[in-house]
Amino acid sequence: MASAHAIASLDEEFEFTAETKRRLLIGIGTGVALVAIGAFLLASGVGSHETASVAQEGGAHEAGHHAYKWTNRLWANVWLNSVYFTGASVIGMFFMSYNYLAQAGWSVAFKRVSEALPAYLPIMGFVMLATYFIAGHDLFHWTNPGLYDKASPEYDPIIAGKSGFLNTPFYLTRIILYFALWYGLWRMLRNFSLQEDLHGGTEYYEKSVKFGTAFLLVFGVTSSTSAWDFIMSIDTHWFSTMFGWYTLASWHVTGLAIITLTVVTLKERGYMQWVNESHLHDLGKFMFAFTIFWTYVWFAQFMLIYYANLPEETIYYRERFTGYGGIYMTPFWVNLFLCFVAPFLILMTRDAKRTYSILKLAAWCIIIGHYFDFYVNIMPGTVGEHAGFGPMEFGMILIFACGFIWTIYSQLAKANLVPRNHPMLEESLHHDI
């Protein structure tokens, strides 16, 4: 139950201090330095993998059609982090929207946290468009015009058959559309939320339900098509009818972990004391449940491909098991351990879901694990045998993560930490399970 002190302190604002900004800027600067060091080492030929056994059984991998340059690894890392943080950002909107549609009251107490995540979307949209214009031909095999010319020795009838969907004008249109729709609908819900703080009543809540439902309809389609565009189109021959669900599950549980970690961190710093153990318990249940859901989709996709044993399908997993000298085996198994085994065991008990340190441990396992999930999905098709973990990878993560934290803190500082005129606030304050 919410205490009288907690209810009396609902007018609480987050302070994005100069010290916090300084630390984030240092983090970004350190990331830039690490990327520069990594670029220098790769340009000098240090740390690159030059094994000769690149050819895969059943034909060369599509990435092999391009002459490898060290800059491919740079842009592959930019693309990887853009995809990862785009998903983490848009899930804040997804979480808000399905709670509006369900008319759920429990999550209102920390609604401002999920409401802050999508502010990073415009930056990610710009970065992805810039990356495509600069390095699209190096990252995406289907951009090679010779693949569509029957007179060319590079002509590929399978990829040519996908030209109606995979062509640059339509591809760029879709990317712009994704970010415009996601960010535009978030701006509307964010404005309704701020207006609700000022004027009260149920008018803005009812509008939020309508536009949140509209977002769910949009996201029901674009979550899958964006997964095809951002990730699956890298391996142009291969496809999976479950890939959209798989990517959504990965994005979703990552976003839930970030929301949980942010709420717990704020509470540890003395904010949001009205958020009680029952709220944390429900967040823990969400992470636990969608960890299992991600694993179910992962296994279903893998099992069907393994059982059918069709070469055009199994090549995807063969590359990740034994291809390129086996360099993807370690991240593959780390991914499974951190994304399923660890959070599943950590979050099994009731007490675990109510303990700050255990929730943070589970959240970090999920956040790190799903970075490896996207790494294993993206790197084989973009850099093949030249992948690795070095200064460039760690620096890129630092840059994107510090920028993400900056936008979250900026949004938290722009409004009261609790939506004080939300019609279900009282229910949320007395949430008890």
Side-chain angles (χ1 to χ4, degrees), residues 71-301:
T71 53
N72 290 19
R73 183 160 156 182
L74 170 68
W75 293 113
N77 273 285
V78 173
W79 192 262
L80 164 64
N81 283 275
S82 298
V83 171
Y84 181 82
F85 283 100
T86 291
S89 301
V90 76
I91 290 304
M93 180 65 177
F94 184 51
F95 183 82
M96 289 168 56
S97 297
Y98 63 65
N99 274 281
Y100 272 125
L101 179 61
Q103 298 186 20
W106 73 279
S107 60
V108 173
F110 56 89
K111 175 175 172 285
R112 290 289 191 236
V113 174
S114 56
E115 196 174 280
L117 267 58
Y120 206 39
L121 284 172
I123 300 172
M124 291 299 93
F126 173 79
V127 171
M128 293 188 85
L129 286 171
T131 303
Y132 182 83
F133 279 114
I134 296 169
H137 186 64
D138 296 322
L139 300 180
F140 297 95
H141 179 52
W142 57 265
T143 58
N144 184 351
L147 298 170
Y148 308 96
D149 182 3
K150 290 185 178 181
S152 170
E154 296 181 319
Y155 175 70
D156 188 320
I158 294 176
I159 298 178
K162 300 181 180 184
S163 61
F165 187 79
L166 291 179
N167 61 80
T168 292
F170 191 26
Y171 186 84
L172 292 175
T173 300
R174 292 196 302 274
I175 290 183
I176 293 169
L177 195 62
Y178 299 149
F179 285 96
L181 287 172
W182 296 344
Y183 183 73
L185 287 166
W186 171 73
R187 285 303 320 172
M188 297 187 78
L189 259 66
R190 173 70 167 172
N191 289 334
F192 292 153
S193 181
L194 298 179
Q195 291 298 312
E196 186 178 71
D197 274 9
L198 295 174
H199 305 294
T202 60
E203 176 188 358
Y204 294 105
Y205 172 76
E206 291 167 356
K207 288 181 178 178
S208 297
V209 172
K210 291 177 181 177
F211 283 92
T213 304
F215 172 81
L216 292 177
L217 293 173
V218 168
F219 198 57
V221 176
T222 57
S223 60
S224 287
T225 56
S226 62
W228 305 341
D229 288 334
F230 297 163
I231 307 170
M232 196 165 67
S233 68
I234 291 171
D235 295 273
T236 318
H237 278 179
W238 182 83
F239 69 92
S240 167
T241 55
M242 300 185 71
F243 198 80
W245 282 103
Y246 172 81
T247 303
L248 173 60
S250 191
W251 275 350
H252 187 208
V253 74
T254 302
L256 290 171
I258 291 170
I259 292 169
T260 304
L261 185 63
T262 306
V263 170
V264 172
T265 301
L266 288 172
K267 282 185 64 63
E268 287 180 332
R269 295 181 180 180
Y271 294 103
M272 302 181 78
Q273 295 307 303
W274 55 83
V275 174
N276 59 40
E277 287 186 343
S278 294
H279 294 114
L280 299 179
H281 189 160
D282 278 346
L283 282 170
K285 287 193 295 185
F286 262 61
M287 287 196 297
F288 182 77
F290 284 98
T291 288
I292 295 172
F293 177 71
W294 172 85
T295 310
Y296 159 73
V297 180
W298 184 97
F299 178 75
Q301 178 176 264

Side-chain angles (χ1 to χ4, degrees), residues 340-355:
F340 172 61
V341 178
F344 179 81
L345 296 177
I346 290 169
L347 292 172
M348 286 187 73
T349 66
R350 175 182 173 88
D351 288 344
K353 301 180 187 73
R354 293 167 174 256
T355 306

